[in-house]
Amino acid sequence: MSFVEYSEFIQEGDVAIIFLGHESMMAVNVQHGAQTQTRYGVIRHSTDLIGQRFGSKVTCSKGGWVYVLHPTPELWTLNLPHRTQILYTTDIANITLMLELKPGSVVCESGTGSGSLSHAIIRTIAPTGHLHTVEFHAQRAERAAEEFCRHKVAHLVTVRNQDVCKDGFGVTGVADAVFLDIPSPWEAICHAKRAIKKQGGRLCSFSPCIEQVQRTCEAMLDQGFEEVCTLEVLLRVQDVRSVTMSLPDFGPDDLTDPAQATSDPAPSNASVTLKTAIPPKEMAGHTGYLTFATKTRE
Amino acid sequence: MANDGDDPDAAFRVRNGDYVVLKRGDVYKSVQIQSKRKVVFEKQWFFLDNAVGQLYGTTFEVESGGTLKPQAPKGTQSASDAKEAGTDNRNIVDDGRSQKLTKDDIESLKEKGLKGQEIIQHLIDNSTTFRDKTEFAQEKYIKKKKKKYESSITILKPTARILALMYHGREWGKVCHLRYDTLAQMLTLGNIRAGSKVIVFETCAGLVLGAVMERLGGYGTVIQMYPGGGPTRAGMESFGFPPHFHDTLYEFPLCKMNALLGGKLDLESKDMDTNHSSGSPDESSDRIEDPSESGPREEASPLTQEMETSSEVPGVKVDEEDRKERERRREMKSQEKKLKMEEKRRKLALAAAQLEGRNADGLVIASRFHPCPVLLGLLKFLSPSRPFVVYCQYREPLIECYTKLREQGGVVNLHLSDSWLRHYQVLPNRTHPVLLMSGGGGYLLTGTTVAMDAPKTSGQPKTEEPSAKRMKLQEAEGSA
């Protein structure tokens, strides 16, 4: 298993996603002799996971069963250990498209945080691209680096433990794209510009508050970035269901026939059943604003 | 700019034959660079000859006669040195006479070949109310006039982002109303990446196919399933991929899928292209067939050359020549047809070999066909534990897909979703959502394949949930 390559069978050291049904999952590190407790009973790694195919059904000790899935950045995003607030797949998808990421892209990112976006970037730029990610929190930087090793993508990423607003990204003139998710992105715009190739490239900044966006846009324009564009994307997941609607009773329709009016008690339980998709009662109404810009060639 | 033998920017220069995207404001158009070819874009016509050799990202001024002149890197010029401005509009009366220039005056300015910049300055100078407008209103006025009179065009290298914006803005009927943020979701939720084997079924002019190929970066395989007589690829061609990308692309006709699944695919049959079923009119108009479209393989066939020369031969032998000519032409046609058939058969065999392993890593569907049969058919070619993504302009067909998949099993983590996109105007003291937003960008059904159970005789419908859980759910939903 690797986050940049599918493999058929589960091996020791892999990350596997245990799918427990209905929005409930967990990530496990597969190890000989290890056990994982679920609400359907115990999963014994040596017998239940190692050597099995990804996607197969695993019967737990209590007779319940789960599926074991191959990890993807999207499944990881839903199951990773949070060290910070993270970016979710809806924003990640738009960042990836709008930054024009593809195999071979060189990308700078700060902060690394919990690595939710990092994994998605690495997936997209492999096998020939590289991610330079900067995290000023020493322990978080270290954890991220360990995770990249465990997920067999360490060769595609360099983690630097420094303050991007003071020290920049640690590289100059190499990036096709820069992504910022920090409290004061406007302080890092000049460093972003320096990191991007002289032929130009793309920039994105993620901020929850509009005041941050305003300062960032101003800094982008000051630094000569063009095509500055701010947007927000929300995902609405629908619940597919059968609903039943009863039909009203208007009484007998042929009143000229007195026999019918008296003999027939009105059938008052007629109804129609249909399949529909119901929007959730509540949903994430805001994650953050995404501001994109283009650095034109120097 | 050093422009000597070893130009470090060679890779960033526009070459003849390149597919490029023209940009003006936020309107895009995809064209192929060809010498002496007239291009019409945003009510202007011009030739792209002067763009050759220039760097991508260069902005050009359209001059009279349709020549393009590279613009000097612009300093931050503003059309007016607005020194004076009002504070509010209490004294601005709309009497329709604030502009002292008439329509004819403006026309004659344009005919004189005045630059857009100069025309705008004239309009400002002749506007009696301009000085009384607030600073913001002045800015807005200038912006509006710029849009109308300034005629600069930027030439960009095509990317999925730009082409998705272009199709959504100009031809969204052709891409089943697929909005770019929805396309972004598809590529990410489908885990499309280098090295994967992806099955694509789309009738989005080839945009989705191109976006998938961009994410594969030439590593891996794409099998394009197509309806009717052949795949539509105009959108994919617009990406201008290098030749080796095309080596990773296979095509397979949907009408042979049942034969393939039943193990009855006949690769020797002679009626290879009798199935011209449903080519929709909008597909056929995707690209106007142009003999020079074929890019690198472009060469005038000896036939056409001969025809030109033979028509110049004077004398009585013309009839004789003509007959021979026609004879020869017929022969060449049938030869060509044979070769084409051969080629088609070879391609079919290759694509069938790719599919037969039933070990694809991803499935992307976005078409004007009902997604249900397509999805249920194509899922059979996926390995277990692989994501699939189905786009549909409408919600109801995906509800049906969802229900059928739940009955059939073999998938988990099903989600039916749509996304909502809002743009913002961010300016000092004038920040707000953009006034017009998209009403909808279609719907997605996503999920992950898992191993199918061996069919049990118990007749119990399989769902994602263990039985105890299912009971609870059914009680909660109140559905039997």
Side-chain angles (χ1 to χ4, degrees):
Chain A
M1 170 243 65
S2 146
F3 271 70
V4 292
E5 219 174 322
Y6 282 117
S7 48
E8 214 172 327
F9 297 101
I10 304 167
Q11 298 170 10
E12 166 143 48
D14 281 359
V15 174
I17 308 292
I18 307 293
F19 186 85
L20 300 153
H22 198 67
E23 309 291 299
S24 154
M25 286 180 258
M26 61 205 289
V28 298
N29 290 314
V30 179
Q31 278 170 330
H32 270 294
Q35 296 190 346
T36 300
Q37 297 286 346
T38 73
R39 60 188 130 115
Y40 306 118
V42 172
I43 299 172
R44 294 183 176 79
H45 293 205
S46 302
T47 50
D48 298 339
L49 296 180
I50 294 172
Q52 299 296 315
R53 263 192 114 167
F54 280 109
S56 53
K57 193 190 256 190
V58 172
T59 307
C60 309
S61 59
K62 289 184 196 165
W65 39 264
V66 297
Y67 282 106
V68 52
L69 301 179
H70 196 291
T72 66
E74 288 58 56
L75 291 173
W76 182 245
T77 289
L78 295 172
N79 294 291
L80 54 79
H82 282 231
R83 301 182 282 271
T84 55
Q85 277 270 4
I86 63 163
L87 279 166
Y88 287 96
T89 296
T90 312
D91 286 315
I92 289 173
N94 282 285
I95 290 161
T96 310
L97 181 82
M98 299 301 266
L99 286 181
E100 301 179 343
L101 304 188
K102 55 180 197 264
S105 295
V106 176
V107 185
C108 291
E109 175 202 30
S110 187
T112 315
S114 309
S116 172
L117 174 68
S118 314
H119 279 82
I121 292 175
I122 291 166
R123 173 265 315 275
T124 302
I125 64 177
T128 49
H130 200 85
L131 172 65
H132 298 274
T133 185
V134 173
E135 171 62 54
F136 69 175
H137 187 289
Q139 193 194 18
R140 285 205 290 255
E142 205 177 314
R143 286 275 172 78
E146 282 164 21
E147 240 161 45
F148 295 138
C149 280
R150 211 173 26 231
H151 298 167
K152 302 187 178 63
V153 293
H155 58 295
L156 295 162
V157 52
T158 307
V159 184
R160 288 182 177 83
N161 175 215
Q162 58 192 44
D163 181 352
V164 72
C165 296
K166 287 201 188 69
D167 318 315
F169 291 94
V171 288
T172 307
V174 298
D176 297 289
V178 173
F179 175 80
L180 292 169
D181 178 8
I182 52 173
S184 54
W186 56 90
E187 293 176 3
I189 300 294
C190 57
H191 298 295
K193 189 180 177 183
R194 200 168 309 133
I196 298 176
K197 284 177 178 164
K198 78 171 171 63
Q199 288 85 8
R202 296 276 292 163
L203 168 66
C204 174
S205 167
F206 174 94
S207 296
C209 306
I210 202 78
E211 292 83 357
Q212 293 168 297
V213 174
Q214 287 187 291
R215 294 185 71 168
T216 306
C217 285
E218 216 173 316
M220 284 177 179
L221 292 169
D222 282 349
Q223 291 286 336
F225 281 88
E226 291 184 6
E227 279 191 283
V228 178
C229 146
T230 301
L231 52 87
E232 174 182 28
V233 184
L234 298 177
L235 185 77
R236 203 165 44 156
V237 177
Q238 319 244 354
D239 186 16
V240 178
R241 283 214 205 148
S242 285
V243 297
T244 304
M245 302 182 85
S246 36
L247 297 167
D249 175 19
F250 294 112
D253 56 357
D254 194 2
L255 292 173
T256 53
D257 181 2
Q260 201 195 20
T262 50
S263 68
D264 225 8
S268 58
N269 53 357
S271 65
V272 172
T273 301
L274 56 118
K275 279 269 176 198
T276 186
I278 299 166
K281 176 166 168 271
E282 279 186 327
M283 57 178 264
H286 181 64
T287 52
Y289 300 103
L290 291 169
T291 300
F292 296 95
T294 302
K295 175 189 167 184
T296 52
R297 99 171 269 118
E298 287 164 12
Chain B
M1 280 277 84
N3 195 359
D4 45 53
D6 52 337
D7 176 10
D9 287 323
F12 302 93
R13 291 190 188 282
V14 179
R15 285 164 317 182
N16 203 4
D18 277 4
Y19 285 94
V20 303
V21 176
L22 310 174
K23 174 179 190 282
R24 180 174 178 240
D26 32 20
V27 183
Y28 300 89
K29 180 177 180 143
S30 159
V31 293
Q32 192 183 11
I33 301 257
Q34 282 173 17
S35 61
K36 301 196 184 59
R37 185 189 193 181
K38 196 188 226 182
V39 175
V40 179
F41 178 50
E42 288 290 88
K43 296 183 193 146
Q44 300 182 88
W45 59 271
F46 46 87
F47 298 95
L48 290 168
D49 300 55
N50 284 359
V52 175
Q54 298 290 342
L55 290 160
Y56 274 104
T58 306
T59 300
F60 296 87
E61 196 73 55
V62 180
E63 306 211 303
S64 54
T67 52
L68 291 181
K69 182 164 154 276
Q71 237 179 30
K74 60 168 189 293
T76 44
Q77 13 78 318
S78 99
S80 75
D81 310 316
K83 302 269 190 310
E84 293 173 70
T87 48
D88 57 42
N89 58 11
R90 75 183 69 192
N91 297 319
I92 295 183
V93 183
D94 181 11
D95 54 5
R97 288 185 310 203
S98 56
Q99 182 52 254
K100 295 206 291 283
L101 291 178
T102 62
K103 249 205 181 96
D104 299 343
D105 294 340
I106 297 169
E107 276 308 312
S108 71
L109 286 179
K110 272 202 242 176
E111 271 157 32
K112 274 187 214 158
L114 240 59
K115 283 216 168 57
Q117 188 76 4
E118 293 160 339
I119 295 178
I120 294 166
Q121 197 54 55
H122 273 284
L123 288 169
I124 290 170
D125 293 344
N126 288 288
S127 162
T128 53
T129 47
F130 187 83
R131 300 223 174 288
D132 305 330
K133 286 181 197 279
T134 64
E135 212 176 311
F136 298 148
Q138 286 180 350
E139 216 172 290
K140 206 166 164 180
Y141 180 90
I142 292 165
K143 206 169 150 190
K144 231 158 91 183
K145 298 299 173 205
K146 260 191 179 162
K147 211 169 168 173
K148 199 167 164 184
Y149 295 104
E150 279 203 351
S151 52
S152 54
I153 282 159
T154 309
I155 295 196
L156 301 170
K157 230 185 167 56
T159 63
R161 170 182 74 100
I162 292 168
L163 291 170
L165 282 168
M166 177 186 89
Y167 271 104
H168 181 254
R170 291 171 63 105
E171 310 180 285
W172 72 322
K174 270 187 195 169
V175 293
C176 310
H177 295 204
L178 173 68
R179 204 175 53 206
Y180 44 94
D181 61 310
T182 313
L183 175 64
Q185 306 285 341
M186 290 167 72
L187 297 166
T188 294
L189 291 165
N191 195 21
I192 307 298
R193 59 156 187 236
S196 291
K197 182 196 273 195
V198 186
I199 299 174
V200 176
F201 177 71
E202 62 120 278
T203 59
C204 295
L207 170 69
V208 175
L209 175 69
V212 167
M213 285 172 71
E214 186 183 82
R215 289 286 169 96
L216 287 175
Y219 305 91
T221 326
V222 191
I223 304 118
Q224 183 185 12
M225 311 298 284
Y226 63 88
T232 311
R233 291 182 174 168
M236 184 273 280
E237 299 288 348
S238 302
F239 280 78
F241 291 125
H244 74 269
F245 275 53
H246 295 262
D247 303 341
T248 65
L249 175 59
Y250 297 83
E251 60 206 56
F252 190 86
L254 210 60
C255 60
K256 298 226 187 286
M257 199 177 85
N258 283 335
L260 182 69
L261 285 167
K264 296 190 185 64
L265 185 66
D266 177 15
L267 292 169
E268 301 305 315
S269 72
K270 291 278 178 271
D271 58 345
M272 287 290 298
D273 37 7
T274 46
N275 39 48
H276 289 283
S277 53
S278 46
S280 77
D282 70 20
E283 275 185 280
S284 52
S285 66
D286 266 341
R287 167 140 307 184
I288 295 139
E289 269 314 318
D290 176 332
S292 53
E293 288 283 26
S294 53
R297 290 184 302 280
E298 186 192 327
E299 42 195 344
S301 73
L303 194 76
T304 52
Q305 285 171 353
E306 277 181 56
M307 280 171 54
E308 281 161 24
T309 50
S310 71
S311 62
E312 289 164 26
V313 176
V316 282
K317 282 202 176 161
V318 171
D319 279 356
E320 182 88 10
E321 291 268 334
D322 249 14
R323 208 170 312 123
K324 270 193 197 157
E325 196 52 61
R326 238 172 303 175
E327 198 69 16
R328 217 177 334 170
R329 215 183 308 171
R330 208 171 297 138
E331 210 156 294
M332 278 183 85
K333 267 235 171 77
S334 73
Q335 275 284 17
E336 233 165 80
K337 205 165 175 181
K338 241 188 223 143
L339 280 173
K340 266 204 181 119
M341 294 271 283
E342 238 358 274
E343 177 66 5
K344 208 163 179 177
R345 203 168 300 155
R346 198 180 58 85
K347 278 185 173 163
L348 182 75
L350 285 171
Q354 287 289 344
L355 289 167
E356 252 151 10
R358 300 206 182 183
N359 59 354
D361 297 318
L363 170 61
V364 177
I365 298 171
S367 78
R368 57 190 163 78
F369 294 92
H370 197 298
C372 212
V374 180
L375 175 63
L376 296 180
L378 293 179
L379 267 181
K380 296 173 179 144
F381 295 109
L382 251 61
S383 287
S385 196
R386 297 293 186 271
F388 61 89
V389 194
V390 189
Y391 168 80
C392 187
Q393 194 184 328
Y394 315 107
R395 197 182 65 168
E396 285 68 20
L398 293 181
I399 293 176
E400 199 177 315
C401 281
Y402 184 103
T403 311
K404 283 242 171 70
L405 284 174
R406 273 299 182 86
E407 282 168 14
Q408 183 184 290
V411 297
V412 294
N413 213 10
L414 278 182
H415 286 294
L416 172 56
S417 63
D418 64 333
S419 59
W420 174 96
L421 172 75
R422 185 167 217 166
H423 280 266
Y424 287 81
Q425 168 183 297
V426 181
L427 289 168
N429 299 317
R430 282 158 295 162
T431 298
H432 58 69
V434 171
L435 300 184
L436 210 61
M437 73 179 264
S438 157
Y443 296 84
L444 286 181
L445 179 65
T446 58
T448 306
T449 57
V450 289
M452 271 289 214
D453 275 352
K456 282 199 208 92
T457 43
S458 63
Q460 190 195 49
K462 240 183 61 55
T463 64
E464 316 187 329
E465 268 73 54
S467 51
K469 220 182 326 179
R470 198 168 61 235
M471 302 260 291
K472 242 188 245 162
L473 272 174
Q474 283 177 348
E475 280 162 32
E477 289 181 20
S479 63

